[in-house]
Amino acid sequence: MVLILLSSVLILPVLMGWGDLFQKLTGVFIKGASGNIFLGIMGISMVWTILAFFMPLNSYAEIPVVLAGLFFFFRNKVFQELHGFKGKDWQLLVFLVLVISFCGSFYPYILDHFGYYVPTIKWLTEFGLVKGISNIDLTLGQMSIWHIFQSGFSNFSDPLLRINSVLLIAYALYITENKTWIHLCFIPVLLLFSQSPSPDLPVIIFSLIILNEILIQNKKTAVLFAFSVFVFTIKPTMIWLPILSLLYSIFLIRSGLKTLIPGVLIGLLFFIKNVYTFGYPVFPVAIGDLGISWQPADEVLKTSSQYAIQKTYDMQYSYREIQSFSFWDYIRNWLFLDGIKSKINIFFIISLGAFTVYSLKKKKKIYTFILVSILIKSAFVLLFSAQYRFFIDVFFVIFFIFFIDYFNRKKSIAVFSVLSLVFIACLIAPTILQTYVPSFKLGNFMGKFEKEQLYRPSTYQYNSFQSYKIGNFKFNVSRKYPYSFDTRLPAVSESYLFEHIKAGIFPQMINKEDLSKGFIWKKLNAQEKREAEQVIRSVKNSYR
């Protein structure tokens, strides 16, 4: 907890310093310290994304950014942005910061933390962006901009990967500065994302902020659209946000096409990054085949697609069973899954229906634009993989619009306080979730409270692995554990190891002397098949 506070004390002034510099180029996006922070996040993320093509995001990338940010913070007296708070606002902000820091100090429990977030960050800090990295593990091909941002601060500013807690503190600052009290109602739920660098948290926070700025008719359309595209680069399921910003800019503010240029450039950088790491413009969709040699094998993409369809139905049906569904089976079985996800899916459909009626009754262009944007996003999600985590942001948006005029400061603080107690209780005693919501599977992975976390956030260490070689690729596999979060690079997870060998292919280094040059896949020859069989036997025997 204390270390999270110290990281925040260092990182937030750095972001404010850079944000102030970028605002001199773009104009004021959002007034106050929080506006500087959010612009600083976007600017630094873009800088580090470009750098990551050429170098690892290690201390040599972090130190200049930190020093420059602090320099601008003090030279331009950006700290004066914090002088406008009244006594009650300071008290509320301090309370929010303590709650966020405490909740952020618990053990990570989101499974993607171990199988996706940490491995991605390790590759970025040790090698930067690696060509064809998806050939080792398809999920690594995502290389979310948020993980690039986290990687840059992970060397000494935030080595325990609590950047989401830092962002929540910045969000609390935005709420108190702008007196948008309804946002307090969202923080208790978002506390569940504060232990890991999950991209879900920033896209929810940023979408709510952009939505708020659009509703109050912020006329900085160039920055609004650019920031919306930036959110899309963090998680492409947020496609509705740049669509909304585009409609708002063109049809309500009547901005010229020139205002779209910064956002288009950010989008272009995102597509180039994806082609470099994944082989296609948008992960994980194999659309836009450029004939690049480091694209993943068709067999791997096919398996991934089948797995995504199974995840839509919470793995309660086999792929063959799903293929035999009629049109109505697809809908009925998705709505009536066993467990809590059925309730979420039903509530999602009801929410969309209610929001459609609400928007049509309002008869205002902005609500129509929001509705159209949300429906487009929902159609994409339902078409590709209708997992609740891909449309959870829609609930926040609809709640925000429905109740923005209802929640004043007093009501919002009351809701925040009650819900925070509930969620903190679940973090301290995860058996509550395990007992009363057994279908919420993540509750089984929550670690218990330890007094040491009051100083240092709780983290897991495993660091047990075995080394193998197939062809020219020497790699490590975590011993008796499915994820490679604590495995020395290059690491290959068991699932992708088995999947590749079953398909008769395996990743190979483009340059056998240099991992950073990237990877391609190739069909196994007779010698490599024998090596693969030995690897499979060794991994399986380790469980005996």
Side-chain angles (χ1 to χ4, degrees):
M1 180 178 175
V2 172
L3 289 183
I4 291 176
L5 291 171
L6 292 176
S7 288
S8 302
V9 168
L10 173 62
I11 294 174
L12 291 178
V14 170
L15 296 175
M16 289 174 65
W18 276 100
D20 182 72
L21 176 67
F22 291 128
Q23 281 197 355
K24 292 186 183 339
L25 302 174
T26 64
V28 176
F29 170 39
I30 299 172
K31 292 181 180 179
S34 58
N36 284 328
I37 291 171
F38 299 139
L39 200 55
I41 289 173
M42 182 175 69
I44 291 174
S45 296
M46 295 300 102
V47 169
W48 274 336
T49 299
I50 295 171
L51 281 179
F53 282 98
F54 309 101
M55 63 178 289
L57 297 179
N58 52 26
S59 297
Y60 292 105
E62 182 175 3
I63 290 173
V65 167
V66 170
L67 292 179
L70 292 176
F71 172 75
F72 295 131
F73 178 75
F74 288 107
R75 191 198 70 171
N76 299 341
K77 298 181 180 179
V78 186
F79 51 81
Q80 292 180 348
E81 298 281 3
L82 300 171
H83 290 170
F85 284 94
K86 297 180 181 179
K88 288 185 177 181
D89 289 340
W90 270 118
Q91 293 172 10
L92 175 61
L93 184 59
V94 169
F95 176 60
L96 291 170
V97 169
L98 291 177
V99 170
I100 292 166
S101 301
F102 176 69
C103 292
S105 68
F106 282 83
Y107 279 106
Y109 64 89
I110 299 173
L111 294 184
D112 276 349
H113 177 90
F114 309 99
Y116 163 37
Y117 308 158
V118 177
T120 296
I121 292 165
K122 287 181 66 175
W123 275 100
L124 286 166
T125 53
E126 293 187 31
F127 297 99
L129 291 170
V130 177
K131 185 191 301 179
I133 189 68
S134 59
N135 286 297
I136 291 181
D137 186 325
L138 192 64
T139 56
L140 293 176
Q142 299 179 67
M143 290 285 166
S144 170
I145 299 295
W146 191 244
H147 294 136
I148 292 175
F149 179 68
Q150 169 71 93
S151 299
F153 281 117
S154 66
N155 300 283
F156 64 87
S157 301
D158 180 30
L160 300 177
L161 310 183
R162 281 343 192 250
I163 201 69
N164 277 13
S165 295
V166 178
L167 176 60
L168 270 174
I169 292 174
Y171 187 38
L173 188 62
Y174 172 82
I175 296 168
T176 50
E177 276 187 321
N178 293 275
K179 307 295 189 291
T180 52
W181 303 117
I182 187 175
H183 290 272
L184 287 175
C185 301
F186 303 126
I187 288 184
V189 181
L190 298 178
L191 292 173
L192 296 175
F193 298 95
S194 61
Q195 305 81 20
S196 297
S198 167
D200 292 309
L201 182 123
V203 298
I204 290 172
I205 288 177
F206 292 148
S207 65
L208 291 170
I209 290 172
I210 291 173
L211 186 61
N212 187 71
E213 293 301 313
I214 287 176
L215 290 177
I216 63 174
Q217 297 187 337
N218 186 320
K219 290 182 171 54
K220 291 290 182 180
T221 52
V223 188
L224 273 174
F225 180 68
F227 205 89
S228 299
V229 176
F230 169 62
V231 177
F232 169 78
T233 68
I234 295 176
K235 194 163 186 174
T237 54
M238 301 301 292
I239 182 65
W240 70 271
L241 203 55
I243 292 174
L244 173 61
S245 295
L246 182 65
L247 295 173
Y248 170 75
S249 300
I250 294 176
F251 295 105
L252 286 183
I253 304 300
R254 308 289 182 180
S255 299
L257 293 178
K258 288 184 179 180
T259 60
L260 305 179
I261 292 176
V264 170
L265 292 177
I266 292 174
L268 182 61
L269 177 61
F270 167 74
F271 294 133
I272 293 172
K273 182 267 299 179
N274 279 352
V275 170
Y276 192 76
T277 59
F278 173 54
Y280 295 92
V282 180
F283 182 95
V285 184
I287 296 176
D289 190 346
L290 302 175
I292 293 172
S293 61
W294 60 84
Q295 290 173 344
D298 291 338
E299 296 92 331
V300 173
L301 292 172
K302 182 179 178 181
T303 300
S304 173
S305 177
Q306 293 176 357
Y307 181 71
I309 292 172
Q310 286 183 270
K311 287 288 288 182
T312 296
Y313 293 92
D314 197 31
M315 306 303 290
Q316 295 178 22
Y317 299 94
S318 68
Y319 179 72
R320 182 172 295 180
E321 288 175 319
I322 296 171
Q323 288 295 94
S324 67
F325 288 170
S326 66
F327 176 76
W328 293 112
D329 287 336
Y330 277 110
I331 298 173
R332 184 177 63 253
N333 292 335
W334 180 73
L335 289 174
F336 299 104
L337 293 168
D338 293 334
I340 192 173
K341 291 182 181 178
S342 169
K343 299 176 178 60
I344 295 174
N345 294 342
I346 293 172
F347 187 53
F348 173 62
I349 299 300
I350 293 172
S351 298
L352 281 181
F355 185 57
T356 301
V357 173
Y358 178 86
S359 300
L360 295 176
K361 286 183 68 176
K362 279 287 186 177
K363 296 181 179 179
K364 289 186 178 180
K365 284 185 178 180
I366 187 58
Y367 291 107
T368 302
F369 292 158
I370 295 171
L371 174 64
V372 169
S373 304
I374 291 294
L375 290 178
I376 291 174
K377 176 250 175 62
S378 301
F380 275 114
V381 169
L382 292 172
L383 181 63
F384 287 103
S385 184
Q387 303 174 49
Y388 80 93
R389 62 195 181 100
F390 292 151
F391 54 73
I392 191 173
D393 56 293
V394 175
F395 295 129
F396 289 87
V397 170
I398 293 176
F399 181 91
F400 178 82
I401 292 174
F402 279 1
F403 297 104
I404 186 172
D405 295 324
Y406 175 76
F407 282 98
N408 55 24
R409 177 188 173 104
K410 185 176 180 180
K411 291 176 181 176
S412 299
I413 291 176
V415 171
F416 166 79
S417 302
V418 172
L419 290 181
S420 293
L421 287 174
V422 172
F423 285 103
I424 290 173
C426 292
L427 290 171
I428 293 176
T431 51
I432 296 174
L433 280 175
Q434 296 163 12
T435 301
Y436 294 102
V437 194
S439 58
F440 182 67
K441 297 175 183 177
L442 289 179
N444 297 316
F445 300 98
M446 289 182 171
K448 294 182 179 179
F449 171 76
E450 296 175 350
K451 62 181 180 181
E452 290 80 7
Q453 73 188 61
L454 295 176
Y455 165 68
R456 185 182 189 276
S458 298
T459 56
Y460 289 108
Q461 292 182 334
Y462 190 67
N463 200 32
S464 177
F465 57 87
Q466 295 172 290
S467 300
Y468 302 101
K469 179 177 179 293
I470 297 178
N472 73 358
F473 184 33
K474 296 179 181 179
F475 58 94
N476 304 306
V477 179
S478 183
R479 182 178 172 83
K480 300 172 68 173
Y481 186 71
Y483 303 119
S484 54
F485 78 101
D486 204 20
T487 303
R488 189 174 64 204
L489 299 184
V492 179
S493 63
E494 288 180 6
S495 59
Y496 278 97
L497 175 71
F498 294 154
E499 181 182 312
H500 282 119
I501 293 175
K502 182 180 178 181
I505 62 175
F506 206 74
Q508 297 290 285
M509 297 168 61
I510 294 175
N511 182 335
K512 64 180 181 180
E513 304 296 334
D514 190 353
L515 285 170
S516 65
K517 298 302 181 182
F519 300 88
I520 57 172
W521 64 270
K522 69 178 289 288
K523 289 189 176 294
L524 297 172
N525 59 33
Q527 172 63 27
E528 291 162 350
K529 285 182 180 179
R530 288 193 291 270
E531 293 173 347
E533 289 171 358
Q534 292 175 359
V535 172
I536 293 293
R537 282 197 297 270
S538 175
V539 172
K540 288 182 176 179
N541 288 337
S542 69
Y543 282 91
R544 293 181 179 177

